[in-house]
Amino acid sequence: PDDKRERYYHDRVRQRGQRYVEFHLPSVEVLLNLVYTYDVTASRLARRLTEQGLSLSGFNLLMILSRSGSQGCPLHEIGELLLVSRANITGLMDSLERKRLVERIADERDRRVRVALLTQKGSALLESLLPSHYSEVRTICSHLSDAEKNRLGALLAKLRRSVQMRASQGRNDR
């Protein structure tokens, strides 16, 4: 399909970036493609979840809690585990709690710690969503061979580690 955003960024980046000595077209294109691909993919997945009254963050939180078992997950860990925006964990929890998909309780070992648990209703919703979700993920990736998926995954992990390493070096330089 005709992609106005792709053409716009490709043309403008190439034209404008060359004014700077530090400009490196392959690096800029990789990051633009990464961000743009995330946006397109997240939008597609979010549309399907919105039909069920969930955001991508809400779905991700339900997935985290489903893997936490009966002990739940401390609220402070949820922000560290979310794969999407960490913004306003409290608001996200409030929304899911109003829908009776999750509940917050005090940790039995430390009453100061709040723990999130998946309710039966939340578990049932997640179980009903996962077959179509996994089917959609498979469809999204269907134009890549398994070898290409493995290579892309490894390259993205390598890029992510590089970004994380640079970020931690920046914190240590302060």
Side-chain angles (χ1 to χ4, degrees):
D2 186 34
D3 192 332
K4 184 176 182 174
R5 284 194 291 179
E6 184 175 353
R7 279 185 286 116
Y8 173 83
Y9 284 109
H10 182 269
D11 295 345
R12 296 308 185 286
V13 164
R14 196 177 288 267
Q15 292 169 0
R16 307 280 296 180
Q18 292 173 354
R19 298 182 348 197
Y20 303 94
V21 172
E22 301 84 358
F23 178 75
H24 184 248
L25 182 62
S27 298
V28 172
E29 285 182 335
V30 162
L31 291 182
L32 281 173
N33 277 317
L34 179 65
V35 170
Y36 187 29
T37 301
Y38 169 78
D39 181 63
V40 169
T41 305
S43 295
R44 182 167 173 172
L45 293 173
R47 263 192 307 275
R48 297 183 72 116
L49 292 170
T50 301
E51 295 167 3
Q52 302 299 318
L54 279 179
S55 65
L56 221 51
S57 297
F59 177 76
N60 188 208
L61 197 145
L62 295 181
M63 291 292 287
I64 289 168
L65 295 180
S66 75
R67 295 177 179 131
S68 297
S70 60
Q71 71 272 14
C73 185
L75 294 178
H76 67 272
E77 285 184 26
I78 291 173
E80 297 169 13
L81 296 173
L82 281 174
L83 293 174
V84 291
S85 172
R86 297 178 193 194
N88 199 354
I89 299 296
T90 302
L92 181 58
M93 282 296 302
D94 289 345
S95 171
L96 295 174
E97 201 166 32
R98 277 192 302 275
K99 295 173 184 173
R100 297 189 318 256
L101 301 174
V102 302
E103 62 181 337
R104 286 177 270 212
I105 61 169
D107 188 319
E108 293 174 4
R109 297 171 302 256
D110 185 347
R111 293 282 192 207
R112 296 169 296 175
V113 175
R114 303 288 289 168
V115 174
L117 291 167
L118 190 62
T119 64
Q120 274 190 315
K121 182 177 178 182
S123 182
L125 176 63
L126 197 53
E127 286 300 313
S128 73
L129 292 173
L130 285 175
S132 66
H133 173 75
Y134 287 135
S135 177
E136 184 68 13
V137 168
R138 180 178 243 169
T139 299
I140 288 169
C141 296
S142 65
H143 289 85
L144 299 173
S145 70
D146 286 350
E148 289 170 325
K149 292 171 194 170
N150 290 333
R151 182 73 179 137
L152 179 58
L155 289 170
L156 290 171
K158 183 177 182 179
L159 178 61
R160 182 176 57 252
R161 285 189 297 274
S162 172
V163 172
Q164 290 168 330
M165 188 173 66
R166 294 288 296 167
S168 70
Q169 287 172 349
R171 283 192 298 270
N172 294 336
D173 291 342
R174 291 183 200 156

